[in-house]
Amino acid sequence: MIARYRAGAPPSVSVSVRDTASRASLSVFVRKRPLLDEELRRGGFDVVSTCGEEETARASLVAHEPKVTVDLSRAMENHTYKFDGVYGESATNQQVFDSAVRPMVEHLFASRGHGTCFAYGQTGSGKTMTMEGLGSGEGDNSAGIYSLVADDLFRNVRGAGGGLTVRAGFFEIYRGKCFDLLNKKRSVQVMEDEHGAQHVVGLHQSTLASAEELLLLLSTSDRTTRATAQNTHSSRSHAVLQIEVVEPASESVRCKLSLVDLAGSEWAAKAQSDDRQNRLDGAEINKSLLCLKECIRALGSQSSHVPFRGSKLTQLLKDSFVGENSRTVMIATISPCSVCCEHSLNTLRYAERVKDWQ
């Protein structure tokens, strides 16, 4: 049924992005990862079709949900979603960066703004691979968003004629508390000053001379992970890389970027974990992700109250949502495997609601 649908549908694409995405204060992109060999061995099949541009000038994808009717016959329900950009399984990290993240970096550097790029999706869907890359010698995806953003920032700093300093801090948010990943997981605090700006008090920030120095720093970090029913090496915390471009003479921040690799979302019913620590982790992760969605919805509806204090994650990202020159990019990663169809639909619904609230 999926093959027949694809035969009559627009041709699949690896990258499809709206022209206006780079000018939006909030842009939402979706990335489909390839099927894994293990998924194929277990009988899984691809249930996500990526399509080209439509009349609405939005990139789209279709999720094919396998179903069984009351008479036990097979059926399929097609769910169509439209976003600022869609990346197929053959898209590379470089392509994701060029169309989704580079415009934000260029805007922030020119306008002295704050921005956030965060990856959202179920555990094992490719968030960390998108943000960190696979490492040297791993082909087109060896460099991740962290490295590509640093390269672009240093290019802009050199183009500005020098006199600017780049510094970075790396920390995780685990169970509502912040820990410095570059300083032996020392506890740090997110606090607000008299002007309403957010600061991570106690965070160790390293001054960088090149993007290579940043990668060397990140290689020494130790993010909290745990084996779950969904993934044997699942991230249990939100990892935040904060990069600032500073004017040394005045110590004023010219631009700030927060690159966030969110912990994997999961349904409690699907986690099937008897481990109390895993259940506590999952509850805290889902609470912070729900709060993030509520904040974006409140902003989109022009509400007089935005619940940024509902979680450490949203409190930290407040500057990127409310600033005049702020930019936010969401990259939702999904698995195309039929076994993960419910999870992928959940991710797509979350991403669609975020975009609709802009």
Side-chain angles (χ1 to χ4, degrees):
M1 284 185 282
I2 294 175
R4 288 198 299 270
Y5 176 90
R6 288 173 177 163
S12 295
V13 295
S14 59
V15 179
S16 184
V17 183
R18 294 178 64 194
D19 293 336
T20 58
S22 62
R23 298 190 294 273
S25 60
L26 171 63
S27 301
V28 179
F29 301 84
V30 173
R31 185 179 193 184
K32 167 190 172 184
R33 71 157 169 80
L35 275 172
L36 304 179
D37 293 338
E38 183 180 355
E39 293 171 335
L40 291 171
R41 286 195 297 269
R42 293 179 178 179
F45 51 92
D46 189 345
V47 296
V48 177
S49 300
T50 57
C51 307
E53 295 288 329
E54 297 185 352
E55 292 180 0
T56 56
R58 277 194 182 186
S60 65
L61 60 80
V62 180
H64 311 285
E65 183 182 10
K67 290 192 171 184
V68 178
T69 62
V70 291
D71 62 354
L72 301 184
S73 61
R74 294 180 180 180
M76 180 181 75
E77 184 175 353
N78 297 320
H79 305 269
T80 302
Y81 299 91
K82 299 176 183 178
F83 300 100
D84 292 301
V86 171
Y87 303 95
E89 60 269 30
S90 60
T92 65
N93 285 346
Q94 183 69 57
Q95 290 174 311
V96 174
F97 171 75
D98 286 341
S99 55
V101 185
R102 187 195 295 274
M104 178 184 72
V105 176
E106 302 286 345
H107 169 81
L108 296 178
F109 192 85
S111 64
R112 300 173 175 265
H114 292 180
T116 297
C117 172
F118 62 91
Y120 170 85
Q122 78 169 97
T123 181
S125 61
K127 299 183 305 299
T128 300
M129 187 276 289
T130 298
M131 300 304 287
E132 296 184 5
L134 297 175
S136 59
E138 294 294 335
D140 293 334
N141 290 317
S142 58
I145 299 298
Y146 291 163
S147 174
L148 297 170
V149 164
D151 281 335
D152 205 50
L153 271 180
F154 278 105
R155 180 181 60 81
N156 279 285
V157 167
R158 290 191 296 269
L164 298 174
T165 300
V166 179
R167 61 191 186 195
F170 191 43
F171 61 99
E172 70 175 359
I173 304 174
Y174 178 64
R175 293 194 187 176
K177 297 181 179 179
C178 300
F179 301 94
D180 192 341
L181 293 176
L182 300 181
N183 191 16
K184 301 179 181 180
K185 288 194 174 181
R186 179 182 175 183
S187 178
V188 294
Q189 300 292 325
V190 179
M191 303 184 74
E192 186 174 303
D193 64 18
E194 65 273 16
H195 304 294
Q198 306 301 313
H199 302 276
V200 185
V201 179
L203 179 66
H204 173 73
Q205 289 187 306
S206 298
T207 300
L208 306 175
S210 65
E212 289 73 20
E213 286 191 11
L214 173 63
L215 296 181
L216 184 61
L217 274 177
L218 297 182
S219 67
T220 64
S221 64
D222 183 22
R223 184 179 178 185
T224 300
T225 60
R226 199 185 302 275
T228 69
Q230 301 294 313
N231 193 345
T232 57
H233 193 70
S234 177
S235 301
R236 299 282 84 191
S237 65
H238 306 306
V240 183
L241 173 62
Q242 206 167 77
I243 306 177
E244 296 179 347
V245 178
V246 183
E247 297 175 347
S250 60
E251 276 299 310
S252 62
V253 177
R254 174 159 183 162
C255 69
K256 181 171 75 173
L257 290 99
S258 298
L259 307 177
V260 188
D261 180 8
L262 295 174
S265 62
E266 58 183 20
W267 294 358
K270 296 289 184 180
Q272 299 174 346
S273 177
D274 294 328
D275 186 90
R276 181 173 181 272
Q277 300 301 320
N278 279 348
R279 294 199 303 272
L280 290 173
D281 290 347
E284 184 62 37
I285 289 167
N286 290 337
K287 172 188 171 184
S288 61
L289 295 176
L290 176 61
C291 189
L292 176 62
K293 181 171 68 173
E294 290 300 312
C295 287
I296 295 174
R297 180 171 67 174
L299 288 168
S301 62
Q302 304 296 317
S303 173
S304 59
H305 172 67
V306 181
F308 285 115
R309 294 185 181 274
S311 73
K312 277 291 187 290
L313 176 65
T314 51
Q315 184 181 350
L316 173 74
L317 300 181
K318 177 182 176 182
D319 293 347
S320 300
F321 285 113
V322 302
E324 183 179 347
N325 294 317
S326 65
R327 287 287 188 274
T328 303
V329 170
M330 174 183 177
I331 302 173
T333 58
I334 59 173
S335 165
C337 185
S338 52
V339 176
C340 299
C341 187
E342 286 181 286
H343 289 286
S344 297
L345 284 170
N346 194 43
T347 298
L348 291 169
R349 293 184 188 112
Y350 184 105
E352 184 180 52
R353 288 166 185 163
V354 166
K355 183 57 193 173
D356 287 345
W357 292 333
Q358 183 185 0

